[in-house]
C-alpha cells in the first residue's frame, strides 16, 4: 500500500493518479474534513471557498483534470475586474482609458509599467525583448532594486509597493525580482477592453475535491487521522504511524507521499526546508448589497485588510441565493500580529470598522453573516534564493527510498501557490513512484 499524508487537493490528486496506475492507496487526513485550504462554507446557494479562489489562463493541468473528472462543462471563464482604492476613491484599473485616467501615476510611470508587463526592457532607450526570459537570472535581485531599475520611482511607490506590502507585509523587501516577473507571466490572458480572464467552476472548486474523493473512494480515505511518524528500515520507508480517535495504528507502506506543509515533512522525516511561510486571516461576509462593482480591490490606504475581494462581482450572486459575498483578507507574517491574536468576534469588528472607514455609506446592519478562516501557513515568502530551497518530489537521496513530497514547498507551487500547482505536485509524485517503485 502507498500512504498519502494529507487530504488536500495535492494528496487527493496523488492518490487519484496512483490508483490509475493500479496501486493500492490510502489517504490519511488529520482534520475531520477533506480539502485543506480549498475547503468551503455553505451559503444560501452554492458553497463558497473559505479562502478566495480563481484560476488563471496559464494554468493548464487543472483544466485537463477538470475534463478528466467530467466537470469540463462547468468550468467558466469570466473577466475579473481590478481596482485600486486610494484617498477615498475606487479607481478601476482594467481598461486602457481607466489606467490612463488613474491620477496617482504619471504618463511616464504608466508607460514604464506597460513595457514591463509586455516583457519589453527599454532601459538605455533601446527596446530588448528577451531580458526577462530567464527567471533564474533574477533570483538574487531584490524586488525593490529591480522595480526602480526597470520601471520608475512612481511605479514603485504608488503601484508596486502597496501590492507587495499587502501580499508579504513587512517581509516584502526579501522577495526576489524573479518572483515578480514570474507572477507577471503567471497571469494569463488579458483582453485590452475587458480585463483579465479568470476561471471558476460552477458550484465552486469544492466540486473538484468531491470528484477526487469519489474517484479515490471514501473507503480509501481516513479522516481524523494524523500521521505522526514515518518509519525507515535500512534505506527504505517501512511504515506510517497514525493517530485516530480509536487509537494509534501502524500501517506498512511501500512508499509514502507527504502532501502537507514542509514543517510536517520535517516532523515525520527530519527533512528540513528553509522556506518561511506566512499565515492568512480571511473572512467571508455575506451582505445584502454590493459594496463596489469591482472583483479585486487593492487598498493603498491605511486599512486592516490588504484587499477586499467581492466574489459576487465575478460570479453572480444568484448562485448564492442572492447573497453578496465579500472576502476581507490579510496575510500575517508574525503570529504576534494583533489581528492573528484576535478571536473571531474581534476579527469581525476589525473588518467592519475598516470597511466603514473606507466606505462611510456601508451599513453593518446589511451583513447577514461572517465566517472567518485562519491558517498559520498558507503561502510561502518567495524570497531571494527561493528555488534553492524547494523540496524535491523524490526524497530518495535526502531521506529514504520511497519518500515523496507533494506539498506547498514543491517546485510546482512557484511562482504562485495554486490548486493547479498542487495537482501538478501530486501528479508528479505519482509519476515518480511509478518510475522508481
Ligand atoms: C488566501 C488564499 C488564497 C488562495 N487563492 C488561490 C487562487 O485564487 N487560486 C488557486 O488556484 N489557489 C489559491 N490558493 C492556493 C490553494 O488553495 C492551495 O495551493 C492548495 O489548496 C494547496 O493544497 P495542498 O493539498 O498542497 O495543501 P493543503 O490544502 O494545505 O492540504 C494539506 C492537508 O494536509 C493535512 N495534514 C497536515 N498535517 C497532517 C498530518 N500529520 N497527517 C495527516 N494530514 C495532515 C492538512 O489538514 C490539510 O488538509 C489560495 C490559498 C489561500 C490560503
Amino acid at each position: 500500500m502507498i500512504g498519502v499524508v494529507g487530504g488536500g487537493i495535492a494528496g487527493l490528486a496523488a492518490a487519484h493518479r496512483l490508483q490509475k496506475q493500479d496501486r493500492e492507496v490510502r489517504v490519511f487526513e488529520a482534520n475531520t474534513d477533506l480539502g485543506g485550504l480549498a475547503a468551503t462554507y455553505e451559503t444560501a446557494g452554492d458553497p463558497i471557498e473559505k479562502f478566495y479562489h480563481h484560476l488563471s489562463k496559464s494554468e493548464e493541468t487543472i483544466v485537463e483534470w477538470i475534463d478528466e473528472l467530467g466537470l469540463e462543462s462547468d468550468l467558466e471563464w469570466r473577466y475579473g475586474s481590478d481596482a485600486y482604492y486610494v484617498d477615498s476613491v475606487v479607481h478601476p484599473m482594467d481598461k486602457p482609458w481607466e489606467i490612463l485616467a488613474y491620477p496617482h501615476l504619471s504618463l511616464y510611470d504608466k508607460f514604464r509599467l506597460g513595457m514591463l508587463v509586455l516583457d519589453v526592457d527599454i532601459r538605455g532607450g533601446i527596446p530588448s525583448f528577451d531580458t526577462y526570459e530567464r527567471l533564474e537570472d533574477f533570483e538574487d535581485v531584490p524586488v525593490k532594486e529591480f522595480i526602480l531599475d526597470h520601471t520608475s520611482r512612481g511605479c514603485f511607490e504608488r503601484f508596486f509597493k502597496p501590492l507587495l506590502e499587502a501580499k508579504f507585509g513587512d517581509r516584502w523587501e526579501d522577495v526576489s525580482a524573479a518572483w515578480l516577473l514570474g507572477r507577471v507571466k503567471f497571469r494569463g490572458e488579458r483582453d485590452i477592453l475587458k480585463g483579465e480572464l479568470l476561471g471558476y467552476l460552477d458550484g465552486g472548486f469544492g466540486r473538484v475535491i468531491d470528484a477526487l474523493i469519489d474517484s479515490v473512494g471514501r473507503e480509501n480515505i481516513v479522516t481524523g487521522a494524523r500521521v505522526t511518524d514515518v518509519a525507515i528500515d535500512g534505506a527504505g520507508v517501512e511504515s506510517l504511524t497514525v493517530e485516530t480517535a480509536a487509537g494509534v495504528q501502524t500501517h506498512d507502506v511501500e512508499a509514502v507521499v507527504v502532501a502537507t506543509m514542509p514543517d510536517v515533512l520535517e516532523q515525520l522525516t527530519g527533512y528540513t526546508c528553509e522556506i518561511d511561510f506566512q499565515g492568512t486571516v480571511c473572512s467571508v461576509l455575506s451582505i445584502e448589497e454590493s459594496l463596489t462593482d469591482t472583483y479585486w480591490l487593492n487598498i493603498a490606504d491605511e486599512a486592516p485588510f490588504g484587499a477586499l475581494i467581492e466574489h459576487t462581482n465575478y460570479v453572480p450572486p444568484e448562485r448564492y441565493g442572492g447573497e453578496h459575498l465579500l472576502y476581507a483578507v490579510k496575510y500575517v507574517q508574525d503570529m504576534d500580529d494583533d489581528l492573528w491574536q484576535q478571536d473571531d468576534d474581534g476579527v469581525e469588528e476589525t473588518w467592519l470598522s475598516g470597511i466603514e472607514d473606507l466606505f462611510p455609506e456601508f451599513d453593518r446592519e446589511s451583513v447577514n453573516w461572517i465566517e472567518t478562516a485562519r491558517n498559520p501557513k498558507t503561502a510561502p515568502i518567495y524570497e531571494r534564493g527561493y528555488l534553492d530551497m524547494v523540496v524535491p518530489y523524490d526524497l530518495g537521496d535526502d531521506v529514504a527510498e520511497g519518500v515523496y513530497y507533494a506539498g506547498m514547498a514543491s517546485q510546482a507551487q512557484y511562482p504562485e501557490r495554486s490548486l493547479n500547482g498542487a495537482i501538478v505536485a501530486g501528479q508528479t509524485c505519482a509519476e515518480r513512484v511509478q518510475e522508481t517503485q
Side-chain angles (χ1 to χ4, degrees):
M1 184 262 283
I2 297 172
V4 175
V5 186
I9 191 163
L12 293 170
H16 170 81
R17 257 304 169 270
L18 285 163
Q19 280 186 333
K20 295 267 171 250
Q21 297 161 6
D22 289 330
R23 298 301 187 113
E24 190 192 338
V25 181
R26 186 155 312 164
V27 179
F28 300 97
E29 165 56 50
N31 280 330
T32 45
D33 294 330
L34 293 158
L37 294 173
T40 56
Y41 300 122
E42 294 304 316
T43 73
D46 290 340
I48 179 81
E49 292 76 20
K50 294 182 177 180
F51 299 100
Y52 59 86
H53 276 77
H54 58 241
L55 305 181
S56 292
K57 266 285 180 187
S58 58
E59 298 179 296
E60 292 171 354
T61 305
I62 189 166
V63 175
E64 290 164 16
W65 278 57
I66 285 172
D67 282 5
E68 183 178 326
L69 294 168
L71 302 172
E72 67 277 20
S73 57
D74 293 328
L75 179 61
E76 305 171 330
W77 294 94
R78 301 166 179 272
Y79 289 99
S81 51
D82 277 355
Y84 233 103
Y85 184 103
V86 194
D87 295 341
S88 308
V89 178
V90 173
H91 298 277
M93 293 287 270
D94 295 307
K95 306 180 173 73
W97 55 89
E98 293 169 345
I99 297 167
L100 279 174
Y102 182 61
H104 300 282
L105 290 177
S106 70
L107 208 53
Y108 176 70
D109 295 333
K110 290 168 193 167
F111 171 68
R112 294 299 301 263
L113 183 60
M115 287 297 107
L116 181 69
V117 172
L118 290 172
D119 251 1
V120 186
D121 177 8
I122 54 152
R123 288 172 308 154
I126 304 160
S128 143
F129 297 91
D130 52 9
T131 311
Y132 307 125
E133 234 154 60
R134 283 166 40 91
L135 294 189
E136 312 87 91
D137 296 348
F138 298 92
E139 252 308 292
D140 294 324
V141 180
V143 72
K144 177 176 175 182
E145 183 185 308
F146 173 84
I147 296 169
L148 288 174
D149 195 19
H150 291 255
T151 64
S152 62
R153 180 153 289 276
C155 285
F156 169 67
E157 295 288 352
R158 292 186 291 279
F159 187 81
F160 285 113
K161 192 164 169 241
L163 297 180
L164 286 162
E165 283 175 339
K167 180 90 179 155
F168 298 109
D170 58 11
R171 295 293 308 274
W172 72 268
E173 287 204 62
D174 298 334
V175 171
S176 74
W179 173 78
L180 181 75
L181 286 167
R183 202 60 190 85
V184 171
K185 288 176 200 287
F186 175 86
R187 293 178 83 90
E189 222 169 280
R190 261 198 110 74
D191 182 287
I192 194 148
L193 297 179
K194 296 182 186 151
E196 190 181 358
L197 208 48
L198 303 175
Y200 195 73
L201 197 64
D202 183 357
F205 291 109
R207 291 185 63 204
V208 176
I209 303 290
D210 292 344
L212 286 170
I213 295 169
D214 283 350
S215 156
V216 171
R218 201 61 186 78
E219 66 284 7
N220 298 314
I221 302 173
V222 196
T223 49
R226 181 174 298 279
V227 180
T228 55
D229 191 37
V230 173
I232 312 287
D233 174 31
V237 62
E238 189 182 41
S239 63
L240 302 182
T241 305
V242 182
E243 279 180 16
T244 65
V248 178
Q249 298 149 4
T250 302
H251 298 268
D252 290 344
V253 290
E254 298 146 42
V256 57
V257 177
V258 181
T260 65
M261 290 293 163
D263 58 329
V264 177
L265 176 72
E266 181 172 354
Q267 286 158 23
L268 298 179
T269 68
Y271 182 94
T272 50
C273 167
E274 301 297 324
I275 295 171
D276 286 339
F277 281 79
Q278 50 183 348
T280 308
V281 181
C282 183
S283 303
V284 180
L285 289 78
S286 163
I287 45 182
E288 289 290 322
E289 301 281 328
S290 185
L291 185 68
T292 70
D293 50 15
T294 292
Y295 170 51
W296 193 288
L297 185 63
N298 294 303
I299 314 283
D301 270 4
E302 273 301 303
F305 27 73
L308 289 173
I309 301 153
E310 197 164 337
H311 180 79
T312 40
N313 286 337
Y314 169 54
V315 176
E318 292 69 40
R319 296 268 175 90
Y320 306 96
E323 295 186 50
H324 293 262
L325 300 175
L326 174 75
Y327 287 100
V329 59
K330 185 179 177 205
Y331 289 96
V332 178
Q333 293 71 37
D334 178 353
M335 295 304 119
D336 290 332
D337 187 293
D338 285 349
L339 187 72
W340 186 263
Q341 295 292 328
Q342 288 171 8
D343 62 13
D344 286 1
D345 288 345
V347 170
E348 287 177 17
E349 180 52 38
T350 301
W351 296 152
L352 291 173
S353 45
I355 297 172
E356 284 165 345
D357 286 348
L358 263 47
F359 299 93
E361 68 284 8
F362 171 72
D363 175 11
R364 61 168 71 200
E365 293 301 314
S366 73
V367 177
N368 301 312
W369 52 261
I370 307 181
E371 290 283 356
T372 297
R374 58 183 87 216
N375 188 309
K377 288 192 164 42
T378 50
I381 309 272
Y382 291 108
E383 61 187 303
R384 296 194 294 285
Y386 184 88
L387 287 175
D388 293 335
M389 298 189 277
V390 298
V391 178
Y393 296 115
D394 184 347
L395 288 166
D397 289 340
D398 301 275
V399 177
E401 208 178 294
V403 180
Y404 301 83
Y405 180 71
M408 205 181 267
S410 60
Q411 171 85 46
Q413 294 287 30
Y414 181 87
E416 187 58 42
R417 49 99 171 90
S418 63
L419 300 170
N420 186 72
I423 289 178
V424 171
Q427 173 176 287
T428 309
C429 280
E431 285 162 6
R432 298 288 159 90
V433 171
Q434 183 74 345
E435 285 159 18
T436 46
Q437 296 295 304

